[in-house]
Amino acid sequence: MNNLLFDFGNVIIDIDVDGAIGRMTKLLKSDVDRDLLTGIVNEYESARISTDIFINKIISHSRPGVQAYNIIEAWNSMLIGIPEYRLVMLTELRKKYNVYLLSNTNELHLQWVHQYLRRIHHIENFEKEFFDQAFYSHLVRDRKPNPSIFRHVIDETLLTPELTLFMDDVKENIDVAQKLGFNTHLVRPGEEIGEYLKVQGYF
């Protein structure tokens, strides 16, 4: 294996998706279903709508009195943090492998991540320090599980899927990657990716 391709959420950074969606849902009118919220999030993560439009769309479906800062606070509550030992892991892996990141994310979350990394870990340039290249859905304007975003990674990096291990916590993303020839590992709830890679002899 020459290349390691990481998902971000629940692989590198700990997140609480259900908690954040629950907090967002509490801001919404009672007749708004979760599918509508999911659709708005998918648009946002693919950069089909801006941060301002994302916030305004949520507000338009929210209870009276809900303001932008309420939306941002609930949305960013999804992000918990990155333990130091995962950063050490990435540093060690880069000595032997090409290491890449492929994440469905958005402007608000990435801003939070960069601020968190500066504040907690004193890291100024996360992407360049820990990855050969990082691919964020809102910057690529595409998202997993679309095969096209995997092809974009292949085209940009010239990596060979058969020589690449892709790690993600969403089975649908894993299934698409497998069809494109990637070696894969589905990260289960509570599993520590560093332990898996150590047991497998990657570092």
Side-chain angles (χ1 to χ4, degrees), residues 1-39:
M1 211 68 65
N2 295 341
N3 315 296
L4 302 175
L5 179 59
F6 287 91
D7 175 35
F8 198 27
N10 277 337
V11 178
I12 301 298
I13 185 170
D14 294 325
I15 61 174
D16 178 17
V17 175
D18 290 340
I21 295 299
R23 293 176 199 104
M24 294 282 284
T25 302
K26 286 179 182 177
L27 301 176
L28 301 176
K29 296 171 186 171
S30 57
D31 60 345
V32 175
D33 64 23
R34 186 164 170 166
D35 288 344
L36 184 140
L37 180 58
T38 300

mmCIF file of all heavy atoms in Angstrom, residues 1-39:
data_model
loop_
_atom_site.group_PDB
_atom_site.id
_atom_site.type_symbol
_atom_site.label_atom_id
_atom_site.label_comp_id
_atom_site.label_asym_id
_atom_site.label_seq_id
_atom_site.Cartn_x
_atom_site.Cartn_y
_atom_site.Cartn_z
ATOM 1 N N MET A 1 0.847 -1.194 0.000
ATOM 2 C CA MET A 1 0.000 0.000 0.000
ATOM 3 C C MET A 1 0.890 1.255 0.000
ATOM 4 O O MET A 1 1.812 1.366 0.816
ATOM 5 C CB MET A 1 -0.896 -0.012 1.243
ATOM 6 C CG MET A 1 -2.235 0.656 1.045
ATOM 7 S SD MET A 1 -3.321 -0.242 -0.077
ATOM 8 C CE MET A 1 -3.604 -1.756 0.824
ATOM 9 N N ASN A 2 0.612 2.159 -0.921
ATOM 10 C CA ASN A 2 1.398 3.400 -1.021
ATOM 11 C C ASN A 2 0.681 4.618 -0.450
ATOM 12 O O ASN A 2 1.324 5.593 -0.049
ATOM 13 C CB ASN A 2 1.743 3.708 -2.481
ATOM 14 C CG ASN A 2 2.654 2.665 -3.094
ATOM 15 O OD1 ASN A 2 3.305 1.908 -2.378
ATOM 16 N ND2 ASN A 2 2.688 2.614 -4.413
ATOM 17 N N ASN A 3 -0.655 4.563 -0.461
ATOM 18 C CA ASN A 3 -1.448 5.747 -0.142
ATOM 19 C C ASN A 3 -2.499 5.454 0.911
ATOM 20 O O ASN A 3 -3.116 4.384 0.909
ATOM 21 C CB ASN A 3 -2.169 6.259 -1.404
ATOM 22 C CG ASN A 3 -1.270 6.287 -2.616
ATOM 23 O OD1 ASN A 3 -0.290 7.021 -2.655
ATOM 24 N ND2 ASN A 3 -1.592 5.468 -3.620
ATOM 25 N N LEU A 4 -2.719 6.421 1.797
ATOM 26 C CA LEU A 4 -3.776 6.340 2.796
ATOM 27 C C LEU A 4 -4.706 7.529 2.597
ATOM 28 O O LEU A 4 -4.255 8.679 2.580
ATOM 29 C CB LEU A 4 -3.188 6.368 4.209
ATOM 30 C CG LEU A 4 -2.178 5.263 4.529
ATOM 31 C CD1 LEU A 4 -1.576 5.484 5.915
ATOM 32 C CD2 LEU A 4 -2.821 3.886 4.440
ATOM 33 N N LEU A 5 -5.992 7.245 2.414
ATOM 34 C CA LEU A 5 -7.003 8.286 2.190
ATOM 35 C C LEU A 5 -7.996 8.254 3.347
ATOM 36 O O LEU A 5 -8.746 7.287 3.505
ATOM 37 C CB LEU A 5 -7.710 8.049 0.855
ATOM 38 C CG LEU A 5 -8.821 9.016 0.452
ATOM 39 C CD1 LEU A 5 -8.314 10.454 0.369
ATOM 40 C CD2 LEU A 5 -9.451 8.588 -0.874
ATOM 41 N N PHE A 6 -7.964 9.292 4.170
ATOM 42 C CA PHE A 6 -8.801 9.361 5.371
ATOM 43 C C PHE A 6 -10.051 10.194 5.135
ATOM 44 O O PHE A 6 -9.994 11.275 4.537
ATOM 45 C CB PHE A 6 -8.035 10.033 6.517
ATOM 46 C CG PHE A 6 -6.947 9.200 7.130
ATOM 47 C CD1 PHE A 6 -5.647 9.261 6.651
ATOM 48 C CD2 PHE A 6 -7.216 8.366 8.208
ATOM 49 C CE1 PHE A 6 -4.632 8.515 7.228
ATOM 50 C CE2 PHE A 6 -6.209 7.605 8.793
ATOM 51 C CZ PHE A 6 -4.914 7.680 8.300
ATOM 52 N N ASP A 7 -11.160 9.713 5.658
ATOM 53 C CA ASP A 7 -12.304 10.579 5.943
ATOM 54 C C ASP A 7 -11.923 11.422 7.154
ATOM 55 O O ASP A 7 -10.958 11.110 7.863
ATOM 56 C CB ASP A 7 -13.531 9.695 6.238
ATOM 57 C CG ASP A 7 -14.750 10.486 6.670
ATOM 58 O OD1 ASP A 7 -14.948 11.605 6.174
ATOM 59 O OD2 ASP A 7 -15.498 9.970 7.526
ATOM 60 N N PHE A 8 -12.678 12.481 7.427
ATOM 61 C CA PHE A 8 -12.355 13.366 8.547
ATOM 62 C C PHE A 8 -13.222 13.068 9.766
ATOM 63 O O PHE A 8 -12.728 12.652 10.816
ATOM 64 C CB PHE A 8 -12.518 14.817 8.092
ATOM 65 C CG PHE A 8 -11.836 15.831 8.973
ATOM 66 C CD1 PHE A 8 -10.730 15.505 9.729
ATOM 67 C CD2 PHE A 8 -12.296 17.147 9.010
ATOM 68 C CE1 PHE A 8 -10.085 16.447 10.527
ATOM 69 C CE2 PHE A 8 -11.673 18.096 9.798
ATOM 70 C CZ PHE A 8 -10.573 17.757 10.556
ATOM 71 N N GLY A 9 -14.530 13.262 9.655
ATOM 72 C CA GLY A 9 -15.427 13.110 10.794
ATOM 73 C C GLY A 9 -15.526 11.683 11.290
ATOM 74 O O GLY A 9 -15.758 10.744 10.517
ATOM 75 N N ASN A 10 -15.342 11.505 12.604
ATOM 76 C CA ASN A 10 -15.370 10.201 13.274
ATOM 77 C C ASN A 10 -14.255 9.267 12.822
ATOM 78 O O ASN A 10 -14.314 8.062 13.068
ATOM 79 C CB ASN A 10 -16.732 9.514 13.127
ATOM 80 C CG ASN A 10 -17.723 10.018 14.158
ATOM 81 O OD1 ASN A 10 -17.339 10.521 15.211
ATOM 82 N ND2 ASN A 10 -19.006 9.905 13.845
ATOM 83 N N VAL A 11 -13.249 9.846 12.158
ATOM 84 C CA VAL A 11 -12.041 9.096 11.822
ATOM 85 C C VAL A 11 -10.834 9.857 12.374
ATOM 86 O O VAL A 11 -10.079 9.341 13.185
ATOM 87 C CB VAL A 11 -11.917 8.870 10.302
ATOM 88 C CG1 VAL A 11 -10.627 8.122 9.963
ATOM 89 C CG2 VAL A 11 -13.118 8.084 9.768
ATOM 90 N N ILE A 12 -10.693 11.119 11.959
ATOM 91 C CA ILE A 12 -9.633 11.983 12.489
ATOM 92 C C ILE A 12 -10.177 12.898 13.588
ATOM 93 O O ILE A 12 -9.591 13.026 14.657
ATOM 94 C CB ILE A 12 -8.999 12.842 11.369
ATOM 95 C CG1 ILE A 12 -8.411 11.951 10.270
ATOM 96 C CG2 ILE A 12 -7.928 13.776 11.955
ATOM 97 C CD1 ILE A 12 -7.295 11.052 10.723
ATOM 98 N N ILE A 13 -11.301 13.529 13.320
ATOM 99 C CA ILE A 13 -11.922 14.421 14.311
ATOM 100 C C ILE A 13 -13.150 13.744 14.904
ATOM 101 O O ILE A 13 -13.942 13.128 14.178
ATOM 102 C CB ILE A 13 -12.285 15.785 13.682
ATOM 103 C CG1 ILE A 13 -12.826 16.751 14.757
ATOM 104 C CG2 ILE A 13 -13.285 15.643 12.537
ATOM 105 C CD1 ILE A 13 -12.990 18.187 14.265
ATOM 106 N N ASP A 14 -13.299 13.807 16.219
ATOM 107 C CA ASP A 14 -14.490 13.268 16.875
ATOM 108 C C ASP A 14 -15.658 14.224 16.644
ATOM 109 O O ASP A 14 -15.503 15.443 16.809
ATOM 110 C CB ASP A 14 -14.239 13.101 18.380
ATOM 111 C CG ASP A 14 -13.193 12.038 18.669
ATOM 112 O OD1 ASP A 14 -13.138 11.032 17.928
ATOM 113 O OD2 ASP A 14 -12.421 12.214 19.630
ATOM 114 N N ILE A 15 -16.796 13.659 16.251
ATOM 115 C CA ILE A 15 -17.979 14.483 16.002
ATOM 116 C C ILE A 15 -19.206 13.845 16.643
ATOM 117 O O ILE A 15 -19.211 12.657 16.975
ATOM 118 C CB ILE A 15 -18.227 14.713 14.489
ATOM 119 C CG1 ILE A 15 -18.469 13.377 13.751
ATOM 120 C CG2 ILE A 15 -17.056 15.463 13.855
ATOM 121 C CD1 ILE A 15 -18.862 13.564 12.296
ATOM 122 N N ASP A 16 -20.233 14.661 16.794
ATOM 123 C CA ASP A 16 -21.510 14.218 17.369
ATOM 124 C C ASP A 16 -22.618 14.638 16.418
ATOM 125 O O ASP A 16 -23.243 15.673 16.599
ATOM 126 C CB ASP A 16 -21.696 14.830 18.754
ATOM 127 C CG ASP A 16 -23.030 14.448 19.392
ATOM 128 O OD1 ASP A 16 -23.659 13.475 18.911
ATOM 129 O OD2 ASP A 16 -23.442 15.122 20.355
ATOM 130 N N VAL A 17 -22.818 13.842 15.380
ATOM 131 C CA VAL A 17 -23.801 14.190 14.342
ATOM 132 C C VAL A 17 -25.209 14.194 14.918
ATOM 133 O O VAL A 17 -25.965 15.159 14.749
ATOM 134 C CB VAL A 17 -23.704 13.206 13.156
ATOM 135 C CG1 VAL A 17 -24.810 13.500 12.135
ATOM 136 C CG2 VAL A 17 -22.342 13.302 12.494
ATOM 137 N N ASP A 18 -25.582 13.129 15.616
ATOM 138 C CA ASP A 18 -26.957 13.022 16.123
ATOM 139 C C ASP A 18 -27.266 14.147 17.106
ATOM 140 O O ASP A 18 -28.361 14.718 17.087
ATOM 141 C CB ASP A 18 -27.180 11.664 16.790
ATOM 142 C CG ASP A 18 -27.200 10.521 15.780
ATOM 143 O OD1 ASP A 18 -27.421 10.802 14.587
ATOM 144 O OD2 ASP A 18 -26.990 9.362 16.183
ATOM 145 N N GLY A 19 -26.307 14.479 17.961
ATOM 146 C CA GLY A 19 -26.518 15.558 18.922
ATOM 147 C C GLY A 19 -26.737 16.883 18.238
ATOM 148 O O GLY A 19 -27.644 17.652 18.595
ATOM 149 N N ALA A 20 -25.911 17.171 17.228
ATOM 150 C CA ALA A 20 -26.030 18.441 16.508
ATOM 151 C C ALA A 20 -27.336 18.522 15.732
ATOM 152 O O ALA A 20 -28.005 19.562 15.736
ATOM 153 C CB ALA A 20 -24.843 18.632 15.569
ATOM 154 N N ILE A 21 -27.704 17.421 15.066
ATOM 155 C CA ILE A 21 -28.971 17.414 14.317
ATOM 156 C C ILE A 21 -30.140 17.581 15.284
ATOM 157 O O ILE A 21 -31.109 18.286 14.993
ATOM 158 C CB ILE A 21 -29.118 16.112 13.503
ATOM 159 C CG1 ILE A 21 -28.029 16.032 12.419
ATOM 160 C CG2 ILE A 21 -30.496 16.021 12.872
ATOM 161 C CD1 ILE A 21 -28.048 17.148 11.397
ATOM 162 N N GLY A 22 -30.025 16.966 16.460
ATOM 163 C CA GLY A 22 -31.069 17.135 17.472
ATOM 164 C C GLY A 22 -31.192 18.582 17.918
ATOM 165 O O GLY A 22 -32.311 19.106 18.055
ATOM 166 N N ARG A 23 -30.062 19.249 18.123
ATOM 167 C CA ARG A 23 -30.079 20.670 18.521
ATOM 168 C C ARG A 23 -30.622 21.544 17.399
ATOM 169 O O ARG A 23 -31.345 22.508 17.651
ATOM 170 C CB ARG A 23 -28.671 21.108 18.924
ATOM 171 C CG ARG A 23 -28.181 20.435 20.208
ATOM 172 C CD ARG A 23 -26.744 20.797 20.568
ATOM 173 N NE ARG A 23 -26.211 19.812 21.495
ATOM 174 C CZ ARG A 23 -25.354 18.859 21.174
ATOM 175 N NH1 ARG A 23 -24.877 18.775 19.935
ATOM 176 N NH2 ARG A 23 -24.943 17.989 22.076
ATOM 177 N N MET A 24 -30.255 21.215 16.163
ATOM 178 C CA MET A 24 -30.787 21.970 15.022
ATOM 179 C C MET A 24 -32.305 21.774 14.915
ATOM 180 O O MET A 24 -33.050 22.732 14.690
ATOM 181 C CB MET A 24 -30.121 21.495 13.727
ATOM 182 C CG MET A 24 -28.639 21.786 13.605
ATOM 183 S SD MET A 24 -28.259 23.496 13.168
ATOM 184 C CE MET A 24 -28.657 23.497 11.430
ATOM 185 N N THR A 25 -32.731 20.526 15.093
ATOM 186 C CA THR A 25 -34.157 20.212 14.949
ATOM 187 C C THR A 25 -34.995 20.971 15.971
ATOM 188 O O THR A 25 -36.116 21.406 15.678
ATOM 189 C CB THR A 25 -34.384 18.691 15.088
ATOM 190 O OG1 THR A 25 -33.606 18.013 14.089
ATOM 191 C CG2 THR A 25 -35.845 18.327 14.917
ATOM 192 N N LYS A 26 -34.455 21.165 17.182
ATOM 193 C CA LYS A 26 -35.175 21.907 18.222
ATOM 194 C C LYS A 26 -35.409 23.367 17.830
ATOM 195 O O LYS A 26 -36.318 24.016 18.353
ATOM 196 C CB LYS A 26 -34.412 21.846 19.542
ATOM 197 C CG LYS A 26 -34.508 20.494 20.228
ATOM 198 C CD LYS A 26 -33.727 20.475 21.522
ATOM 199 C CE LYS A 26 -33.796 19.103 22.177
ATOM 200 N NZ LYS A 26 -32.984 19.027 23.402
ATOM 201 N N LEU A 27 -34.581 23.886 16.936
ATOM 202 C CA LEU A 27 -34.750 25.268 16.480
ATOM 203 C C LEU A 27 -35.824 25.391 15.406
ATOM 204 O O LEU A 27 -36.331 26.484 15.148
ATOM 205 C CB LEU A 27 -33.423 25.809 15.919
ATOM 206 C CG LEU A 27 -32.220 25.818 16.864
ATOM 207 C CD1 LEU A 27 -30.976 26.290 16.118
ATOM 208 C CD2 LEU A 27 -32.483 26.710 18.072
ATOM 209 N N LEU A 28 -36.166 24.253 14.779
ATOM 210 C CA LEU A 28 -37.074 24.281 13.640
ATOM 211 C C LEU A 28 -38.536 24.248 14.075
ATOM 212 O O LEU A 28 -38.873 23.802 15.172
ATOM 213 C CB LEU A 28 -36.792 23.091 12.727
ATOM 214 C CG LEU A 28 -35.375 22.996 12.145
ATOM 215 C CD1 LEU A 28 -35.217 21.704 11.341
ATOM 216 C CD2 LEU A 28 -35.061 24.208 11.279
ATOM 217 N N LYS A 29 -39.392 24.715 13.184
ATOM 218 C CA LYS A 29 -40.838 24.592 13.405
ATOM 219 C C LYS A 29 -41.198 23.114 13.482
ATOM 220 O O LYS A 29 -40.546 22.265 12.874
ATOM 221 C CB LYS A 29 -41.598 25.257 12.244
ATOM 222 C CG LYS A 29 -41.360 26.761 12.138
ATOM 223 C CD LYS A 29 -41.946 27.312 10.850
ATOM 224 C CE LYS A 29 -41.586 28.783 10.679
ATOM 225 N NZ LYS A 29 -41.960 29.311 9.346
ATOM 226 N N SER A 30 -42.245 22.811 14.202
ATOM 227 C CA SER A 30 -42.598 21.417 14.478
ATOM 228 C C SER A 30 -42.964 20.620 13.227
ATOM 229 O O SER A 30 -42.866 19.395 13.214
ATOM 230 C CB SER A 30 -43.759 21.355 15.475
ATOM 231 O OG SER A 30 -44.871 22.068 14.979
ATOM 232 N N ASP A 31 -43.391 21.312 12.158
ATOM 233 C CA ASP A 31 -43.821 20.586 10.955
ATOM 234 C C ASP A 31 -42.687 20.374 9.944
ATOM 235 O O ASP A 31 -42.911 19.864 8.852
ATOM 236 C CB ASP A 31 -44.980 21.313 10.274
ATOM 237 C CG ASP A 31 -44.607 22.731 9.834
ATOM 238 O OD1 ASP A 31 -43.572 23.250 10.300
ATOM 239 O OD2 ASP A 31 -45.360 23.306 9.027
ATOM 240 N N VAL A 32 -41.462 20.763 10.302
ATOM 241 C CA VAL A 32 -40.320 20.593 9.398
ATOM 242 C C VAL A 32 -39.689 19.222 9.654
ATOM 243 O O VAL A 32 -39.344 18.897 10.787
ATOM 244 C CB VAL A 32 -39.266 21.702 9.610
ATOM 245 C CG1 VAL A 32 -38.032 21.449 8.748
ATOM 246 C CG2 VAL A 32 -39.872 23.064 9.289
ATOM 247 N N ASP A 33 -39.543 18.424 8.581
ATOM 248 C CA ASP A 33 -38.971 17.088 8.804
ATOM 249 C C ASP A 33 -37.456 17.096 8.577
ATOM 250 O O ASP A 33 -36.886 18.032 8.025
ATOM 251 C CB ASP A 33 -39.656 16.021 7.929
ATOM 252 C CG ASP A 33 -39.445 16.245 6.433
ATOM 253 O OD1 ASP A 33 -38.469 16.913 6.049
ATOM 254 O OD2 ASP A 33 -40.265 15.732 5.651
ATOM 255 N N ARG A 34 -36.832 16.021 9.022
ATOM 256 C CA ARG A 34 -35.367 15.920 8.990
ATOM 257 C C ARG A 34 -34.836 15.861 7.560
ATOM 258 O O ARG A 34 -33.724 16.288 7.288
ATOM 259 C CB ARG A 34 -34.946 14.683 9.785
ATOM 260 C CG ARG A 34 -33.433 14.553 9.955
ATOM 261 C CD ARG A 34 -33.110 13.578 11.048
ATOM 262 N NE ARG A 34 -31.689 13.255 11.071
ATOM 263 C CZ ARG A 34 -31.083 12.647 12.076
ATOM 264 N NH1 ARG A 34 -31.779 12.307 13.146
ATOM 265 N NH2 ARG A 34 -29.798 12.375 12.025
ATOM 266 N N ASP A 35 -35.644 15.331 6.625
ATOM 267 C CA ASP A 35 -35.199 15.232 5.234
ATOM 268 C C ASP A 35 -34.938 16.611 4.634
ATOM 269 O O ASP A 35 -34.010 16.781 3.839
ATOM 270 C CB ASP A 35 -36.235 14.481 4.382
ATOM 271 C CG ASP A 35 -36.268 12.986 4.680
ATOM 272 O OD1 ASP A 35 -35.303 12.494 5.302
ATOM 273 O OD2 ASP A 35 -37.244 12.324 4.302
ATOM 274 N N LEU A 36 -35.760 17.576 5.003
ATOM 275 C CA LEU A 36 -35.552 18.933 4.500
ATOM 276 C C LEU A 36 -34.226 19.483 5.002
ATOM 277 O O LEU A 36 -33.453 20.074 4.236
ATOM 278 C CB LEU A 36 -36.704 19.840 4.936
ATOM 279 C CG LEU A 36 -36.665 21.273 4.390
ATOM 280 C CD1 LEU A 36 -38.048 21.744 4.000
ATOM 281 C CD2 LEU A 36 -36.046 22.246 5.392
ATOM 282 N N LEU A 37 -33.935 19.265 6.277
ATOM 283 C CA LEU A 37 -32.671 19.715 6.857
ATOM 284 C C LEU A 37 -31.501 19.023 6.169
ATOM 285 O O LEU A 37 -30.494 19.665 5.825
ATOM 286 C CB LEU A 37 -32.653 19.430 8.357
ATOM 287 C CG LEU A 37 -31.402 19.850 9.128
ATOM 288 C CD1 LEU A 37 -31.132 21.342 8.988
ATOM 289 C CD2 LEU A 37 -31.525 19.466 10.599
ATOM 290 N N THR A 38 -31.620 17.714 5.931
ATOM 291 C CA THR A 38 -30.567 16.961 5.246
ATOM 292 C C THR A 38 -30.312 17.520 3.860
ATOM 293 O O THR A 38 -29.156 17.658 3.429
ATOM 294 C CB THR A 38 -30.945 15.471 5.149
ATOM 295 O OG1 THR A 38 -31.106 14.942 6.471
ATOM 296 C CG2 THR A 38 -29.881 14.675 4.415
ATOM 297 N N GLY A 39 -31.379 17.873 3.150
ATOM 298 C CA GLY A 39 -31.242 18.443 1.806
ATOM 299 C C GLY A 39 -30.496 19.763 1.812
ATOM 300 O O GLY A 39 -29.641 20.012 0.951
#
